[in-house]
Amino acid sequence: MAQEFEKMRGLNRVKIRKFFKALLYSRRILARHYSLKRIKYHDFSIISDNCWGRELNKFLDLPNLTPTVGIGIEKDYLDFIENLNNVNAHEVLELDTIHCEQITGTIYPVGRTPYAKIHFLHYPRFDLAQRLFRIRHKNINRKRVFYKIDFDYYYCRTPKDIQRWNKMKLPNSVAFYSDDTLKFYSGEIHNGVYINKKNIPENNYIFGYTQKYFDYIKWLNTGIPSSNFKYRMLNYILLDDSTNLRFIHFTKSLLKALTWKSKN
């Protein structure tokens, strides 16, 4: 009897996990469908200093019409933006691995265009990174380019970078900043969005973490980052993928507690 009871309990746990997995997957699909229905155009190109744009496209299940996929661009990111349309902007030459950032703790391909150093953080080989960078650069939709910058990106930005960004006044742009930015700059930031990062560097590139701070649907439709109570509620109830993660952690904790209780 005891063995049969343990077997039934194990089967029930599997069924519960499958049920919640299907529920959360359905929520993600519904969030994607809702977003795509309200975003006017789906052929936009997001130029980003890290993987944030790729994360957004992944969330929407859209192709990456941008060369900034799986890469990081630090101090010369604004040079990269200003020269994006130059004929040689897609050319990238290999650099020695001594240019890898120590903070990552890994060795990865590094290259340089005529205007910026490119950290190919998520590529196994430089030749692959170079080929995909060139192809994706040619696929940029010049009519619908959006720009994202993070002024806390591994602490490589300066007040001069913000002042330069403000003078550029790029349309269809968003600039993330946090308390770390406010330590060295106290003025206005063009299309700035405050992010409560809590000193977690990984939050620099996670779209799912930043989406609760501004209406990304309205941004892709108007080019202006903003937020209101209605969006924040909608994001919490439907759009925010981190809600799924919190629910998964809660479910796991609940199942462990029930298992422990039944054993005692």
Side-chain angles (χ1 to χ4, degrees):
M1 288 293 293
Q3 290 180 348
E4 291 182 4
F5 177 74
E6 285 294 329
K7 184 177 179 181
M8 288 295 296
R9 190 170 61 183
L11 290 173
N12 287 334
R13 284 201 297 268
V14 170
K15 288 180 180 179
I16 291 173
R17 288 195 185 98
K18 287 184 177 180
F19 171 77
F20 283 122
K21 186 177 181 180
L23 180 65
L24 297 179
Y25 179 76
S26 299
R27 180 181 181 273
R28 179 177 295 177
I29 295 299
L30 183 60
R32 179 182 298 159
H33 177 75
Y34 176 90
S35 300
L36 292 174
K37 287 286 287 185
R38 281 155 181 76
I39 295 172
K40 295 178 182 178
Y41 304 102
H42 299 163
D43 57 347
F44 51 82
S45 295
I46 296 180
I47 305 301
S48 176
D49 48 359
N50 51 29
C51 298
W52 186 88
R54 180 195 65 175
E55 292 287 318
L56 192 156
N57 286 327
K58 182 179 178 181
F59 175 74
L60 297 174
D61 196 26
L62 293 176
N64 291 301
L65 304 179
T66 172
T68 57
V69 176
I71 71 173
I73 310 176
E74 298 180 345
K75 296 179 180 179
D76 38 17
Y77 177 57
L78 294 180
D79 292 330
F80 178 82
I81 290 177
E82 285 191 328
N83 296 281
L84 187 67
N85 294 323
N86 288 1
V87 294
N88 60 346
H90 68 283
E91 295 296 335
V92 55
L93 300 177
E94 187 173 12
L95 296 179
D96 193 275
T97 54
I98 61 172
H99 292 276
C100 294
E101 286 293 343
Q102 293 183 356
I103 195 172
T104 65
T106 59
I107 300 297
Y108 53 83
V110 184
R112 183 167 188 85
T113 73
Y115 312 103
K117 184 191 296 183
I118 312 294
H119 296 265
F120 294 103
L121 297 162
H122 301 292
Y123 294 85
R125 307 187 317 276
F126 176 78
D127 60 329
L128 175 63
Q130 181 188 53
R131 179 169 61 85
L132 292 177
F133 183 86
R134 289 174 173 174
I135 293 173
R136 288 167 174 160
H137 193 284
K138 292 179 181 179
N139 289 337
I140 295 174
N141 183 355
R142 312 288 171 174
K143 295 180 180 179
R144 295 192 182 90
V145 180
F146 290 78
Y147 305 92
K148 171 265 177 187
I149 189 171
D150 194 317
F151 283 114
D152 297 329
Y153 187 42
Y154 291 114
Y155 310 104
C156 68
R157 312 289 185 223
T158 66
K160 289 184 178 180
D161 290 325
I162 299 179
Q163 292 166 1
R164 184 179 174 186
W165 170 266
N166 288 342
K167 288 181 180 179
M168 292 169 71
K169 290 188 180 298
L170 291 169
N172 303 334
S173 61
V174 61
F176 297 141
Y177 69 95
S178 72
D179 290 334
D180 288 330
T181 312
L182 299 178
K183 292 176 183 177
F184 65 84
Y185 188 85
S186 59
E188 292 187 8
I189 299 177
H190 174 64
N191 283 353
V193 173
Y194 174 81
I195 305 293
N196 182 16
K197 292 186 178 177
K198 298 180 180 178
N199 297 320
I200 302 175
E202 288 75 14
N203 288 336
N204 285 323
Y205 67 86
I206 300 176
F207 164 73
Y209 183 81
T210 60
Q211 73 181 83
K212 60 186 176 185
Y213 292 98
F214 81 115
D215 187 339
Y216 65 91
I217 297 175
K218 185 176 181 180
W219 179 63
L220 289 171
N221 286 336
T222 67
I224 301 173
S226 63
S227 185
N228 54 41
F229 179 76
K230 180 181 177 181
Y231 170 77
R232 290 192 293 271
M233 289 300 298
L234 177 66
N235 184 67
Y236 181 79
I237 295 170
L238 177 63
L239 303 176
D240 190 355
D241 219 25
S242 64
T243 302
N244 281 3
L245 295 177
R246 289 194 296 270
F247 191 79
I248 289 172
H249 292 320
F250 170 77
T251 304
K252 286 182 177 179
S253 299
L254 181 62
L255 288 173
K256 286 182 179 179
L258 291 175
T259 302
W260 182 86
K261 187 175 181 181
S262 63
K263 287 181 178 180
N264 294 275

